[in-house]
Each structure stands twice: as structure tokens, then as C-alpha cells.
Amino acid sequence: MGVAKYIKDERGAIKEVIYQSGIKVKPAYGPEDLEKAGFTYEKDLGAPGEYPFTRSLHPQSYRSRAWTTRQYTGFGTPEETNERFKLMIANGQNGLNVAFDLPTQMGYDSDHPLSEGEVGRVGMAIDSLKDFETAFAGIPLDRIGSGLTINAVATIMMAMYQAVAEKFGYSKDQISTTPQNDILKEMIGRGAWIFPVEHGVRLVGDSIEYAVKELPKSNPVSLCGYHIRESGATPAQEIAYAFEIAKAYIDNVVQRGIKPEDFVGRFSFNFNVYGNLWEQIAKFRAARKLWAKMLKNEYGVKDKKKLFLRGLFGGGGSGLTKEQPENNIMRGAYYALGAALSGAQTTALCSFDEAYTIPTPRSALLSLRTLEMLMDEVGLRDTVDPLAGSYFIETLTLEMEEKILEEMKEVQQMGGMVNCISNGLIQRKVSKQAYEFEKGLQSGEYKKVGLNPSTTEDSSPDSTSGQTEKTDVELHEYNEDWAKKSKANLIKLKATRNNKDVKESLKALEKAAKGSDNVMPYLVKCCHAYATVGEMAGVFRDTFGEWNEPEFY
Amino acid sequence: MIRLIEENDPSAFEMLKLLYPYAGQAFIIGITGSPGVGKSTLIDALITQFRKLDMKVAVIAVDPTSPFSGGAILGDRLRMQRHATDEKVFIRSMASRGQKGGLSRATKDTAVVLSAMGYDIIIIETVGAGQAEFDISFLAHSIGIVSIPGTGDGIQAVKAGILEIGDIFIVNKSDRPDAETSVLELKMMLNMRRPNTLAQNSDLSLNWTPRVLKTIAQNGTGVKELADTFLSHFDFMKQNGSIVQKKIELERLYFNSLIKDLALEKTLLFIKKSNDFKDALNKIESGSMDPITCAEHVVNNLEVTRKPEPLNSSR
Amino acid sequence: METKKTIRVLIAKPGLDGHDKGAKIVALALRDAGMEVIYSGLHQTLEQIIQTATQETVDVIGLSIMSGAHLPISKKLIAMMKDKGLDDVYLTVGGVIPYQDIPKLKEMGVSEVFPGGTSFEKITKGINSLC
């Protein structure tokens, strides 16, 4: 995925290069290209750390601080997760990243029939505040922030995080939580949605409003172009759709009378990096610039810091192959190089075996070393935005901007993101592209080393070019005990909590959901009363209904 | 059995003949309109409504077959999937399999089967109407035409002749700003239609006044009214007897189309085996005679060789 | 007139996992190969899948499972298919499937297994040869 289309002649010379985003690349670039594009340093680049931030958000970038790397955790029971948390903090990590199991993500308790086979498998199983108390026991929540990979029920998890902090004696303005909370991308590319589009957006709006007023250290939304790209979007679309999604959320909150200035600074992004190296670099530079311009010109944001496109550039799962998996080690290195040349502040890398298994400690370490090497050994910290001024990169960045704006315009003309997603227009486009690309891969039109025949002939007798060894997929062992434990805990909980309080708090929640009150304070009350995730999400299900997904073809 | 119908399997016909006496009780509703107007979502909401009245509902959702590959993705069901485990709801996706209007005899035959199975309401969903041979107007007792504001669908409807066949006009996504305009446009054009129908039916009481309704299928707004309107149309037709007329007309249309199909099949089979045919082909291939003369010759030489038997009503 | 029967396939996503890219592109590929494809949508219970397969009288149910739960799900579904009389329907499974599980699935009664990355050609041939 993500590779350019190369049209070659009979002798193998490249005649045409077409990037996934649709940009054609010339054999050579020179000053005339920059002139033709109307490029000026002040308008298009700005100094590092100056608007429009094309080069970098900070004047010194990696010179002052190397990039941060992230590691996900959370699986099985809250007890095991708590141990893992403590271990990571002891190892110097100053932020937690929490994964939740599918039932929790989908608003079901561990004893729901649909939860079977899923409790604790891809993340932590959370049924109630009790589980959070176990998971975060002994964690200094005033110093350690938590990223929560949760979307459809992000409001519930945020409320529960506040409740657990309060239970442990912290106040809500001390804690820092970063829920992913990007429901629109779920509907395009990740599938963990529950409610219809407008209600999903309302909940995001509620959480942002609440964060502005009550959770000053929290970052309520992480806009994920990542998954949209994974499901078939081009790099230009990845940025365009993420920005249009951001607008949908911003507009919802602005309607409540809150100024964009007060909250956009706390949005963060999650972008993908795989495929063609130059296309990625141009993409990120263009994205930084466009985000700043959009906020300034369309939303009147003045404070420089709030114009930053903060985010994680990394991952790259779709670029990896199951065949000849060691190739993924090199791929990871190149992708990381792309991220570094783009000035990513935070990054993460899929490990080489991630195409077929949960990363082993060894492969996770290799990824870490890959990232370290760029910072500490190979020289990516030496200077800010080293490719600036390159005839090619600057022309490409400008062309990428145009492409992104084109894609955004298309969405606007079709009535905006909410409309497009409700009608399936984006999903259709993205599926079709994924299909076309896969066909191209299978026919050899797109090249993937180790997958299609390679360009360089290897005549040594023991070469394996042309052969594909496939490594077998390894899966997490599913642990039945986790489900048993969770179910037992649920029974105990329901017997010992004050069910009258639960009922009342749920009723109040329902009223808020039906009306236009912000649901967050009601959720916090429900959490304190030990209402379960299933019960709270159930109120939303009853009030909002479930989304009927549209056709994708 | 529906598979057999789709595959034109002769044994299907035998079964259909047996079922026919039991069919005919169901109220057949046609829902048509351009892609993207929200037909499936609307039908999903209608199913909920009819179920509230404890009616058994069947849906035939027709999607176009790809002219290139002969395949199809039948995805209307997606929007109705929450009814998948309701015992009293039956959803069948069918591909148009090359039929221009999107419907085929298979659709009719399937409706027969479903009716015989005791479904109270059969909803047929299709794209486009009033254009081709096998049309929604051949199948349904009541036809709903769905459009959305701002697309000029109203003008399109006049052009396509859809205005003539619609009983209920539904403006969906009516939360859009130009919904009222669309409604007014439609009402205006329907007013212009009435003189036609008057000329056909001297008895005014047989004329159903076409309704224009607004809905927001996504959240169910206006759907109860829509369901009620369909049911009142059905009642209307039952009360003034026009339902009987309608059924006879539908039977006649079906009969004609069957004759066409069966006759064509039989004749072609016969012709292709005949010496005349082979002879004519040779002449065309050798260039000694033009296709027009050959074809006329072959057909003119056809003769009925079997003594006709009277049509018995008992079986 | 002799025409080959058109194959009807149900592509289904059982359970809570939301990764549907594979299911969708296979659906498109099967359409382009001349089959009629019904896509079930996400988050399907096994009951919903059985009902859909019955009403749509499909020739093949194609499960798309990316969550690793293919063994328990297939086992359950096969039992339900027998129970509901869907004996003439084939079951195929695709997604994240370790090679070592393929014989186990086949033993249960799964007709074909298409792990992620199987070419469209292979999948089409496989389904065609079943019907």
C-alpha cells in the first residue's frame, strides 16, 4: 500500500511516476519550479517555529529535544494492567497509553452475549469504576497522564477517569486524560461505532465542552487520519478528511458559544507513515501549514501555540507484509526516517512482526532502537527541517497542499463530513480505492519488495528472490479466566452497590441525553454510583439508537 | 424456491402454479426513487411501523447487476439488518440480472411466493420507474416515489413519466432547507396531472388523490404518517372496489409478459432446430442473401402443428 | 437455455471487531467475478447471519474474522447451520488465520479458508469450485 505507480518502458526505465495522492513527479526539479509555483520563504515556509510552521512547530525542534516514543499497554484484567503500568513508570515512562477490550469499546459489559470470546483480549476489560480503581491504584494521577484508546464511549471513560481520580483524592483540574474520541474516523475506517452520526458528534462536543470548563489539563480529541489511511485513503485524503472531521467537531462546539481559541489548541493528531518517502514528508509539512492557516483564517485563532498541529506521525502497519517479514525491519527504518525528516514530535513504529502477531519483546525493542538510531546516531537531530529549500520537496509540498485543499473542497461541496459519512460517500470512495490498490498489488502494477518479482536480479545460487516465505500468524491466547473473573466481579458489584442510586443516576443521564444538557456531569455521577459501562451505554443506545451503516459500493 | 425462480428453473413454475391460489392477500407497496434518496433507510423505518401493528412484512430489495461482470453487490439489506432476527420480517435481496427497469418476472414470482407465505405487506424496493417493460407499476398496488430536496427530482419525475404512476410522493431528508419548495413543486405538478385521470375514470370516487409527504427517514420523522397513508390507500382501494380492478390489471400484465417470454422461448427453440433456419444462416454467411429477407422467410414458414386444447380451469 | 447458476455469497462480519476493509474489497472482487454478494454489515450476531443466509438462500457464507476468534465462531456457526437445515450452504472463512488452524477449521466443516493476503483469483476460483 502507499507506493507510487511506476510506468516503465521495455528496458525498465521509469517513464512516469504517479503518487497515490495523484501528484506526478518529474525526473528533475530546479529553481524554475519554485518560481513557477510562486514559492516564497515567508509565505510558504516561515522560519522554524514561526507561522505557518511548515518547517517546524518549534525553532529548535530535535536540537532541544528528541522525539517521544509511545508504547501501548492494557490487556486482560485491571490487575495485570496495573502491574504493567507500574513497571513502565518505574522504567521512566511519564505517560500511560491504555487499550480497552472490544466489549468495553462497544459499550457492553463482560457478561453480554456479544462479549463472548472478547473479554480482555485486545485490551483491558472495564465494566465499572471498580475496575478503574484496580487499574489505576497507586498511580500518581496528578503527574502521570493517560491516553485512552476509546471512541464511541469516550465520554463514559473520561467521566470514569475523573471519578477514579476523585476517589483517590485528586481534583479534576489536576488530572490529564487524552481520549482518542474521534467517532467520525471510526465510521470511516475502524468500525468501533455505536450511535448514529449526529449523536456521536454531539457526544464529542459534550466532551470537548466539558474539558474546556472542567478538565483543563486534558486533551479531549485525537484526530486520527491514521485509520482512514489504513482503510484506503490517499495521503492527501488522510489529511483532508482529518481536517474536515476536525471542523465538524469544532463547529459543534462553537455552536455552544465557546470560542475555538479556547479548545483547538488541545486537539492532537494521529497520522500514518508508510509508502513513498517523499510523499509522506510533503504531506506532513503541508499539513502543519494548512492546519495553522485554517485555524487562523477560518476560526480566528490568534495565539501562536494554539495553531500547532501536534501529533503522532508513525505506525505504518499497512506498509508491512507477512511475506519475508524481515523486510519490515528495513521498511520500519525508512518510515521512521520519513517521520524524522518531517519533524514528527511523537512517533511510534509497528514492529516487523506486527503483520501477523502481537509484537514480541524482541521486535518491540528493534522498533525502539530504530527510532533511537535516527535521533542519536545517524544525525536526524542535527538541524531543523533539513530538506527545506530543496527544489523537489518544496514544489512537492506546495502540490500536496493543493491536493489536500482539493479533497477538502470536495467534502465541503458534498455537504460536509457529517453528511458524507451518513450517506456513505467517504466509505465508498475509500473502499473503492482500497480495492483498486489491492488489485494493482496482485497484478504487479504496484511493487512491493518480497511480494512481486524484484527489479534487481540476484544471480547467486542461494537467493530467495521470487520466493515468498510466509511466517505463520501468531495470536494472543485467549484467557477464559479473565472473562470468568470479570463476570464474577460484575455479580458481586451489582449485589453490593446501592442500586437505588444507580437507577436515579441513570435516569438523570437519560434525561440529559434526551435533551441538550451536557452528559458529562451526569456520567460522572453514574460512575460514582458504580453504574456499569453497559448500563450507561445502554441509556445512550435506548435514546440515540444504533447507527445503520450505509452502502459502501 | 426463490432461487429456482431466479434461475428460471422449470420446476419453479410448477410450484408457482400450486401457490397461486393462496397468493393475493398481501398488500404490495412499491418504493422507488433515485440512488441516495434514502429508500432503504425509509423502508427500515416502515418495517418498524408495520411491525408495531403486528403485521408480517416482507421486503424485496432490487439492486442493479453490473453490466460488465454480471455480478452485483446487494447492499440494501444493510440498512434493514436490525430486523434480521425478527421472525415476522423477511428480507430478500435480488439483482436486476440485466432487466432494464431493474425488476424482472422473478420479482413478481417472488412476491407471489411471499404472499402465499402469508406476509401482510410486501415492500418492493427498486431504482427508477416508468421506463421499462417490467415496471414497479406492474407489481405494486401502491407506489411510493422518494426524492430529496434540491435535486430537481420533481422535474425529472415529470420527464420520466413517474408522476403518472406514483400514489404517494415522499420528500425525504426533509430537514433540508429547500424541502418546502420541493413539496410545493410536486403538489403543483400533481395538480396538473389530475385532469388526465379524470378523463380515464368517470367515477370520481375511484381516484385516489396522490399525497405528498415529508419524512426524515434517519430519525423516523413522518414515517408513521407514511405507513398510515399507505394503509389508508389500501383501505381506499378495498372500499371502492378498485383493488379488484387493480389486481385484474396486474394479472393481465403478468399474463402478457409471461406469454411473451414463453412464446419467445418456445418459438426460438423451434426455429433454431428447423432446416429453414440453418439454410438461412448459410445463405447469410455466404453472402448470397440479406438478413432481412432470410428472417422474413424463416418466420413466414412457421406453422402451428399442434391441435389446440381447451383451457381447463381445474387442476 | 443453458446458463450457469449465479452464485450468491453472504459476506458476514461476526462479533464486535470493526475491521471491514478486507471484507469489503473481497465483496467488490466477487462482484467483479460475476457473483451476487450480500454484505451483512458490522457487529453481526450469529443468529443474524443464519437468518440472513436463510432468507437470501446463499450458496456460500463467507465469514471475515480479524479478531482471532475464528475457531469458536466457526464451530458455533456450523452447529447452527446444521440445526437450521442449511446443509447445502458452504462456509468459508477469511481474515487473520494462522496456517496451523486451517486443518482444524476444515475438520469442523469449513469448506475453504482464505487467510488475509490470498489473491482475489484464488478466492474466486475457490468459491466457484465449491458451487
Side-chain angles (χ1 to χ4, degrees):
Chain A
M1 282 275 276
V3 298
K5 194 183 210 168
Y6 294 106
I7 300 177
K8 302 185 178 164
D9 68 13
E10 330 73 59
R11 282 166 306 147
I14 298 179
K15 298 260 99 180
E16 256 194 278
V17 179
I18 308 166
Y19 285 169
Q20 257 213 307
S21 300
I23 299 172
K24 289 202 173 141
V25 178
K26 293 169 30 166
Y29 289 77
E32 65 280 1
D33 293 291
L34 291 184
E35 217 184 288
K36 194 163 150 226
F39 172 86
T40 65
Y41 189 81
E42 299 72 33
K43 169 170 67 76
D44 294 305
L45 292 191
E50 292 302 322
Y51 180 86
F53 310 108
T54 318
R55 300 197 65 187
S56 157
L57 299 179
H58 305 290
Q60 296 262 318
S61 190
Y62 298 138
R63 284 283 287 248
S64 55
R65 208 176 58 160
W67 56 13
T68 354
T69 57
R70 287 268 178 90
Q71 252 345 80
Y72 275 112
T73 357
F75 60 94
T77 57
E79 287 86 1
E80 282 156 317
T81 307
N82 182 254
E83 275 171 34
R84 202 38 105 83
F85 281 168
K86 292 197 167 117
L87 187 67
M88 281 157 44
I89 295 174
N91 274 338
Q93 211 165 298
N94 57 5
L96 300 174
N97 254 322
V98 190
F100 297 94
D101 70 0
L102 277 176
T104 308
Q105 289 183 47
M106 297 299 295
Y108 291 123
D109 291 334
S110 305
D111 58 358
H112 192 277
L114 274 172
S115 304
E116 208 179 312
E118 288 292 346
V119 179
R121 214 164 46 77
V122 305
M124 197 168 41
I126 297 293
D127 288 331
S128 75
L129 182 62
K130 257 264 162 340
D131 297 318
F132 254 30
E133 288 170 32
T134 314
F136 291 102
I139 309 284
L141 295 172
D142 55 342
R143 283 192 295 112
I144 305 278
S146 302
L148 310 170
T149 311
I150 194 79
N151 292 280
V153 294
T155 44
I156 300 178
M157 287 297 126
M158 277 172 80
M160 202 176 277
Y161 193 77
Q162 178 187 328
V164 82
E166 287 173 344
K167 248 236 143 73
F168 290 158
Y170 301 100
S171 65
K172 52 182 148 74
D173 51 335
Q174 287 180 300
I175 56 173
S176 165
T177 171
T178 307
Q180 200 169 75
N181 201 13
D182 178 3
I183 194 63
L184 290 176
K185 72 97 172 38
E186 292 294 324
M187 291 166 161
I188 302 176
R190 193 173 170 269
W193 42 261
I194 310 176
F195 318 112
V197 187
E198 331 78 66
H199 299 292
V201 173
R202 176 259 175 105
L203 288 177
V204 173
D206 276 5
S207 62
I208 297 174
E209 181 183 32
Y210 190 73
V212 167
K213 297 181 176 156
E214 312 284 348
L215 303 170
K217 280 169 74 181
S218 297
N219 307 295
V221 174
S222 188
L223 294 139
C224 299
Y226 185 99
H227 309 86
I228 302 177
R229 180 129 189 254
E230 293 281 290
S231 36
T234 68
Q237 286 164 350
E238 180 190 5
I239 306 292
Y241 296 164
F243 284 2
E244 284 296 323
I245 289 176
K247 281 163 84 175
Y249 300 147
I250 296 176
D251 291 341
N252 180 288
V253 179
V254 162
Q255 272 172 26
R256 298 158 193 244
I258 304 179
K259 293 209 299 280
E261 187 104 28
D262 294 337
F263 61 91
V264 289
R266 292 199 264 155
F267 280 7
S268 64
F269 287 87
N270 188 354
F271 286 132
N272 216 327
V273 59
Y274 67 85
N276 182 283
L277 182 69
W278 313 117
E279 198 181 8
Q280 299 310 300
I281 297 171
K283 172 183 96 178
F284 291 124
R285 296 172 93 241
R288 263 197 299 266
K289 177 173 168 193
L290 287 176
W291 180 246
K293 279 175 93 169
M294 185 177 100
L295 289 183
K296 184 158 185 245
N297 300 332
E298 286 178 43
Y299 288 103
V301 178
K302 300 198 180 63
D303 183 347
K304 190 173 107 166
K305 282 222 171 82
K306 305 212 168 125
L307 300 172
F308 286 175
L309 179 102
R310 306 183 298 140
L312 184 147
F313 306 163
S318 284
L320 308 184
T321 57
K322 263 183 355 199
E323 291 74 10
Q324 293 179 19
E326 282 160 332
N327 291 344
N328 296 330
I329 299 177
M330 292 87 86
R331 285 194 178 101
Y334 298 137
Y335 299 160
L337 178 65
L341 288 170
S342 308
Q345 307 156 277
T346 313
T347 189
L349 212 57
C350 285
S351 24
F352 78 86
D353 50 5
E354 202 150 335
Y356 55 91
T357 183
I358 310 284
T360 53
R362 179 173 163 264
S363 67
L365 196 62
L366 274 172
S367 298
L368 216 55
R369 296 282 173 260
T370 307
L371 299 171
E372 264 175 37
M373 211 174 278
L374 284 165
M375 292 286 115
D376 297 339
E377 196 175 304
V378 173
L380 270 299
R381 285 185 76 179
D382 298 353
T383 190
V384 179
D385 191 30
L387 295 176
S390 144
Y391 303 121
F392 173 43
I393 293 293
E394 296 305 352
T395 312
L396 191 60
T397 306
L398 286 173
E399 288 182 341
M400 184 57 89
E401 270 175 57
E402 259 174 54
K403 269 279 175 266
I404 296 173
L405 288 171
E406 239 175 68
E407 299 282 357
M408 285 176 77
K409 190 147 177 241
E410 196 182 281
V411 171
Q412 288 155 19
Q413 281 171 344
M414 295 196 293
M417 239 330 158
V418 169
N419 202 39
C420 289
I421 293 179
S422 300
N423 290 324
L425 298 167
I426 303 282
Q427 297 90 314
R428 197 169 303 175
K429 196 169 197 168
V430 150
S431 295
K432 185 158 183 273
Q433 285 170 186
Y435 177 51
E436 295 298 324
F437 193 86
E438 184 64 32
K439 274 203 291 193
L441 206 58
Q442 290 182 14
S443 70
E445 189 186 352
Y446 293 111
K447 195 69 101 202
K448 261 317 238 206
V449 172
L451 216 55
N452 331 105
S454 67
T455 333
T456 44
E457 302 282 314
D458 187 346
S459 53
S460 71
D462 54 358
S463 89
T464 51
S465 72
Q467 284 171 18
T468 51
E469 5 139 340
K470 285 189 198 183
T471 322
D472 203 4
V473 173
E474 278 165 42
L475 302 164
H476 243 342
E477 278 301 313
Y478 177 63
N479 192 330
E480 275 289 337
D481 289 336
W482 292 337
K484 286 205 187 108
K485 218 171 177 185
S486 292
K487 288 190 209 175
N489 284 341
L490 266 172
I491 299 177
K492 213 167 87 184
L493 178 83
K494 291 187 177 170
T496 48
R497 66 185 184 179
N498 183 330
N499 284 302
K500 186 162 162 286
D501 283 348
V502 173
K503 210 164 167 205
E504 274 169 27
S505 62
L506 288 173
K507 234 183 153 61
L509 177 67
E510 188 185 26
K511 192 153 174 258
K514 284 198 168 130
S516 56
D517 271 5
N518 193 312
V519 298
M520 292 296 295
Y522 299 94
L523 282 172
V524 175
K525 282 218 176 76
C526 289
C527 290
H528 272 301
Y530 292 101
T532 67
V533 170
E535 285 166 342
M536 292 182 270
V539 167
F540 288 159
R541 277 193 156 93
D542 289 338
T543 313
F544 304 140
E546 287 185 351
W547 192 39
N548 274 348
E549 37 173 335
E551 308 89 46
F552 65 91
Y553 51 93
Chain B
M1 190 194 158
I2 299 182
R3 280 310 291 279
L4 295 173
I5 293 173
E6 281 183 322
E7 302 296 337
N8 279 325
D9 190 303
S11 60
F13 280 128
E14 290 307 313
M15 287 193 256
L16 271 175
K17 281 194 260 186
L18 289 173
L19 282 177
Y20 220 86
Y22 301 100
Q25 303 310 318
F27 176 34
I28 305 179
I29 296 176
I31 299 278
T32 184
S34 311
V37 298
K39 296 185 294 293
S40 301
T41 315
L42 197 60
I43 295 178
D44 173 64
L46 276 172
I47 298 175
T48 310
Q49 268 310 117
F50 289 131
R51 289 295 298 120
K52 280 194 183 146
L53 302 169
D54 201 28
M55 302 178 115
K56 281 174 77 173
V57 186
V59 178
I60 305 175
V62 185
D63 268 320
T65 297
S66 157
F68 306 113
S69 69
I73 298 205
L74 308 175
D76 294 326
R77 191 188 184 102
L78 256 182
R79 299 275 205 175
M80 310 175 207
Q81 197 58 346
R82 63 177 158 143
H83 299 284
T85 44
D86 185 338
E87 288 286 315
K88 301 205 173 152
V89 177
F90 189 102
I91 301 172
R92 174 75 183 196
S93 310
M94 298 186 84
S96 61
R97 295 205 181 171
Q99 299 293 338
K100 258 194 308 178
L103 299 180
S104 57
R105 220 183 60 225
T107 319
K108 160 78 180 178
D109 295 340
T110 305
V112 169
V113 174
L114 291 169
S115 184
M117 279 167 72
Y119 285 93
D120 301 301
I121 309 240
I122 300 175
I123 304 177
I124 303 179
E125 174 185 350
T126 176
V127 172
Q131 305 153 350
E133 250 198 53
F134 223 99
D135 207 55
I136 189 75
S137 52
F138 288 22
L139 299 183
H141 299 132
S142 183
I143 296 180
I145 305 198
V146 189
S147 62
I148 47 176
T151 52
D153 270 6
I155 318 285
Q156 291 300 100
V158 174
K159 284 190 185 164
I162 285 178
L163 226 40
E164 303 300 311
I165 69 164
D167 298 302
I168 301 176
F169 290 80
I170 304 148
V171 176
N172 192 26
K173 303 194 190 181
S174 58
D175 45 344
R176 290 207 188 160
D178 30 6
E180 263 317 307
T181 323
S182 294
V183 170
L184 289 170
E185 253 174 28
L186 277 167
K187 281 191 171 153
M188 213 170 60
M189 284 190 271
L190 287 168
N191 274 330
M192 298 191 303
R193 160 184 141 171
R194 263 153 102 239
N196 268 342
T197 352
L198 266 173
Q200 281 174 21
N201 273 310
S202 49
D203 185 350
L204 284 171
S205 72
L206 288 177
N207 289 340
W208 160 263
T209 317
R211 308 275 201 273
V212 181
L213 294 174
K214 287 194 289 189
T215 57
I216 307 174
Q218 258 185 345
N219 60 21
T221 308
V223 177
K224 182 171 179 306
E225 288 72 27
L226 180 61
D228 289 340
T229 309
F230 272 122
L231 290 172
S232 70
H233 186 205
F234 195 36
D235 279 333
F236 180 84
M237 291 192 284
K238 279 192 284 191
Q239 268 167 25
N240 66 15
S242 57
I243 189 78
V244 175
Q245 252 187 333
K246 181 105 207 182
K247 284 187 181 175
I248 294 175
E249 197 187 321
L250 291 178
E251 299 282 283
R252 199 171 41 83
L253 288 166
Y254 183 41
F255 170 66
N256 276 327
S257 128
L258 271 171
I259 293 257
K260 246 196 185 160
D261 276 355
L262 292 172
L264 190 64
E265 204 182 313
K266 189 165 185 167
T267 317
L268 275 180
L269 211 59
F270 181 77
I271 289 181
K272 290 205 170 152
K273 285 200 238 166
S274 74
N275 289 323
D276 263 342
F277 182 71
K278 296 189 188 128
D279 190 40
L281 259 185
N282 283 333
K283 292 223 161 68
I284 293 173
E285 278 167 10
S286 66
S288 54
M289 206 175 285
D290 70 277
I292 303 170
T293 317
C294 287
E296 276 183 347
H297 177 82
V298 170
V299 174
N300 283 337
N301 276 356
L302 278 176
E303 259 178 41
V304 178
T305 49
R306 199 176 89 168
K307 191 156 170 248
E309 288 167 9
L311 186 62
N312 288 329
S313 55
S314 63
R315 253 302 183 102
Chain C
M1 286 188 278
E2 283 300 310
T3 35
K4 186 170 178 290
K5 186 174 84 151
T6 311
I7 300 178
R8 283 170 70 96
V9 182
L10 169 64
I11 299 276
K13 289 279 318 166
L16 299 178
D17 173 62
H19 292 97
D20 54 5
K21 185 178 92 176
K24 286 176 173 175
I25 64 180
V26 169
L28 290 169
L30 293 180
R31 174 201 62 190
D32 287 350
M35 303 186 197
E36 286 173 4
V37 183
I38 292 138
Y39 176 61
S40 73
L42 289 177
H43 316 148
Q44 297 293 293
T45 60
L46 296 183
E47 287 76 17
Q48 281 175 307
I49 295 176
I50 293 282
Q51 272 290 73
T52 307
T54 311
Q55 291 178 1
E56 301 286 2
T57 57
V58 297
D59 299 296
V60 179
I61 298 176
L63 290 181
S64 164
I65 306 178
M66 311 295 273
S67 65
H70 45 278
L71 288 170
I73 291 179
S74 304
K75 190 158 181 218
K76 262 219 172 103
L77 194 68
I78 289 181
M80 288 173 82
M81 284 166 75
K82 284 209 172 79
D83 196 42
K84 295 285 176 173
L86 292 176
D87 306 302
D88 48 355
V89 180
Y90 299 102
L91 179 63
T92 67
V93 180
V96 177
I97 318 280
Y99 295 126
Q100 62 193 21
D101 284 352
I102 297 181
K104 291 187 203 162
L105 286 169
K106 292 218 164 137
E107 225 176 304
M108 283 180 195
V110 174
S111 307
E112 285 280 0
V113 182
F114 303 119
T118 311
S119 71
F120 294 145
E121 206 189 314
K122 240 184 170 169
I123 299 177
T124 311
K125 268 210 182 109
I127 294 184
N128 270 320
S129 64
L130 286 175
C131 301

